[in-house]
């Protein structure tokens, strides 16, 4: 099959009049200009399939609801161009967390999921967001070892100021588990110490952490300026002002990652939901803990994140890379995120308004 488009995000950048050849689920060739044989499909814009490394749910359910629910989540986001996902799990008792990991492990083994992200319980109570404060705890090597080795955990969010955190960060980094700093009240010095210990991510930067102030820059400044740190950005126009998101993206083009932080309502409708055992109300597409103004995840999909970023001034190529190759590189997920020879044929076709027209996963149109 040959897929042609007015614009294609190739391994060498966004190119006009590009084409991609697919066979046996892989990209076998790509080029610019006239394809070797007439195209089977022609679109306005073709991008690698999107990669979401921070999402809790969609389609009415969450990843914590088990394997069958996880497939519903995957399908809801696939319809919006996301072909690779981590399953993000909320703070829970350790035995419940390990059961959730066990439930999802077969989906990682089958390639349906790319891995598991633990967002908690090693977070700061003052910046807990939608996490259950009664379940938050200090990290310790014995329990981290127990949980992380119970399944395919690829990323852990941690508040580095909690006692024992630095030793845990070093141990996780030594096992090639991505450590992301988030839900934290850490100051500048503590954050820099965590980066030196091996932390390489910023969980939804700006959210669930102190504001950047001129006499107290907190965690944002070191996360933003460190060349080794990947910064997650929730670009829905609610979590962070869209023009600030685009400013960060332009200043850190090779380390910016668009994420959804989506919960069950993504891809569905307003109503009452549950996230991390807590009641959530979704009104006008915004999820908040019931009866509060606290944001509880989002209803975002990555195609919308790309549109919001571009409409706020981000270059199209940068926005697409922030939703595809950058998150793949952040997690070290090989074989996805680029339309290059030998990689899997994950493709999202979009129209001129950046709306998803068609999605291919592993060489098959969804």
């Amino acid at each position: 099959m040959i897929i042609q488009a007015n614009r294609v995000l190739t391994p060498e950048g966004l190119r006009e009049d590009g084409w991609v050849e697919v066979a046996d689920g892989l990209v076998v060739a790509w080029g610019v200009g006239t394809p070797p044989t007439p195209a089977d499909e022609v679109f306005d814009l073709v991008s690698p399939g999107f990669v979401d490394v921070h999402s809790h749910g969609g389609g009415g359910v969450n990843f914590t609801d088990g394997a069958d629910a996880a497939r519903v989540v995957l399908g809801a986001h696939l319809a919006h161009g996301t072909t690779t996902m981590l399953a993000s799990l909320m703070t829970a008792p350790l035995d419940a967390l390990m059961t959730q990991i066990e439930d999802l492990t077969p989906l990682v083994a089958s390639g349906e999921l790319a891995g598991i992200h633990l967002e908690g319980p090693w977070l700061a109570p003052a910046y807990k967001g939608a996490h259950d404060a009664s379940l938050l705890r200090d990290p310790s090597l014995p329990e981290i070892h127990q949980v992380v080795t119970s399944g395919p955990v690829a990323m852990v969010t941690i508040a580095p100021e909690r006692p024992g955190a630095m030793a845990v960060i070093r141990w996780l980094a030594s096992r090639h588990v991505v450590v992301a700093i988030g839900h934290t009240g850490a100051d500048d010095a503590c954050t820099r110490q965590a980066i030196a210990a091996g932390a390489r991510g910023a969980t939804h930067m700006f959210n669930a952490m102190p504001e950047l102030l001129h006499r107290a820059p907190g965690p944002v400044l070191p996360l933003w300026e460190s060349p080794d740190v990947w910064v997650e950005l929730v670009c829905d126009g609610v979590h962070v002002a869209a023009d600030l998101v685009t400013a960060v993206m332009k200043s850190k083009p090779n380390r910016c990652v668009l994420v959804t932080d989506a919960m069950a309502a993504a891809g569905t409708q307003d109503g009452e939901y549950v996230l991390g055992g807590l009641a959530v109300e979704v009104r006008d597409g915004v999820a908040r803990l019931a009866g509060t103004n606290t944001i509880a995840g989002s209803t975002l999909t990555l195609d919308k994140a790309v549109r919001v970023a571009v409409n706020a001034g981000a270059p199209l190529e940068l926005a697409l890379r922030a939703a595809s190759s950058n998150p793949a590189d952040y997690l070290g997920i090989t074989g996805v995120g680029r339309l290059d020879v030998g990689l899997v044929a994950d493709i999202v076709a979009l129209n001129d308004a950046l709306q998803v027209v068609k999605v291919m996963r592993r060489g098959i149109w969804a």
Side-chain angles (χ1 to χ4, degrees), residues 13-24:
L14 193 62
R15 298 290 183 266
E16 294 185 357
D17 298 321
W19 55 268
V20 179
E21 184 175 1
V22 174
D24 299 322

Side-chain angles (χ1 to χ4, degrees), residues 151-190:
V153 174
M155 179 163 66
V156 175
T157 294
I158 197 166
E161 71 273 23
R162 296 206 71 142
M166 293 302 169
V168 165
I169 291 171
R170 285 189 288 270
W171 181 81
L172 288 169
S174 73
R175 291 183 57 86
H176 306 292
V177 175
V178 173
V179 180
I181 296 172
H183 289 275
T184 176
D187 61 14
D188 182 287
C190 179

Side-chain angles (χ1 to χ4, degrees), residues 78-159:
L78 181 64
H80 292 272
T82 298
T83 52
T84 300
M85 294 188 77
L86 284 191
S88 296
L89 303 181
M90 295 286 288
T91 292
L94 293 186
D95 56 348
L97 202 57
M98 292 174 68
T99 297
Q100 293 166 10
I101 293 171
E102 182 182 356
D103 289 343
L104 295 175
T105 294
L107 276 70
V108 179
S110 67
E112 295 168 86
L113 278 173
I116 295 170
H117 164 215
L118 304 182
E119 190 181 14
W122 308 288
L123 312 175
Y127 295 92
K128 63 181 180 61
H131 293 258
D132 187 339
S134 69
L135 299 175
L136 300 180
R137 54 201 294 135
D138 291 332
S140 70
L141 278 174
E143 75 174 26
I144 290 279
H145 181 277
Q146 180 185 16
V147 175
V148 168
T149 58
S150 68
V153 174
M155 179 163 66
V156 175
T157 294
I158 197 166

Side-chain angles (χ1 to χ4, degrees), residues 31 36 68 92 102 119 146 162 165 221 227 231 256 291 302 304 312 361:
D68 290 341
E102 182 182 356
E119 190 181 14
Q146 180 185 16
R162 296 206 71 142
L221 179 62
V231 295
C256 58
L302 278 181
K304 180 180 178 181
R361 186 175 190 273

Side-chain angles (χ1 to χ4, degrees), residues 205-278:
M205 193 170 78
F206 299 112
N207 299 116
M209 59 182 63
E211 295 180 0
L212 194 162
L213 302 175
H214 66 293
R215 291 191 179 93
V220 171
L221 179 62
L223 293 171
W224 190 342
E225 73 174 5
S226 171
D228 297 324
V229 172
W230 302 80
V231 295
E232 298 178 11
L233 299 163
V234 184
C235 189
D236 59 355
V238 176
H239 280 70
V240 186
D243 54 355
L244 177 56
V245 170
T246 58
V248 175
M249 293 173 69
K250 290 176 181 178
S251 70
K252 200 165 184 163
N254 297 320
R255 287 291 188 274
C256 58
V257 176
L258 292 176
V259 299
T260 63
D261 193 17
M263 43 76 72
T268 181
Q269 58 191 4
D270 287 1
E272 282 68 46
Y273 296 88
V274 175
L275 179 65
L278 302 178

Side-chain angles (χ1 to χ4, degrees), residues 9 37-38 50 69 78 84 93 95 135 189 213 217 265 279 293 300 337 365:
L9 182 58
T37 60
F50 300 146
L78 181 64
T84 300
D95 56 348
L135 299 175
L213 302 175
N293 288 321
L300 186 64
W365 291 116

Side-chain angles (χ1 to χ4, degrees), residues 63 66-76 106-107 110 112:
F63 282 118
D68 290 341
R71 291 188 173 97
V72 173
V73 177
L74 292 168
L107 276 70
S110 67
E112 295 168 86

Side-chain angles (χ1 to χ4, degrees), residues 343-362:
L343 303 189
V344 295
D346 288 350
I347 295 173
V348 55
L350 304 105
N351 61 20
D352 190 54
L354 301 182
Q355 299 283 347
V356 173
V357 175
K358 210 167 184 180
V359 182
M360 173 181 285
R361 186 175 190 273
R362 308 305 192 254

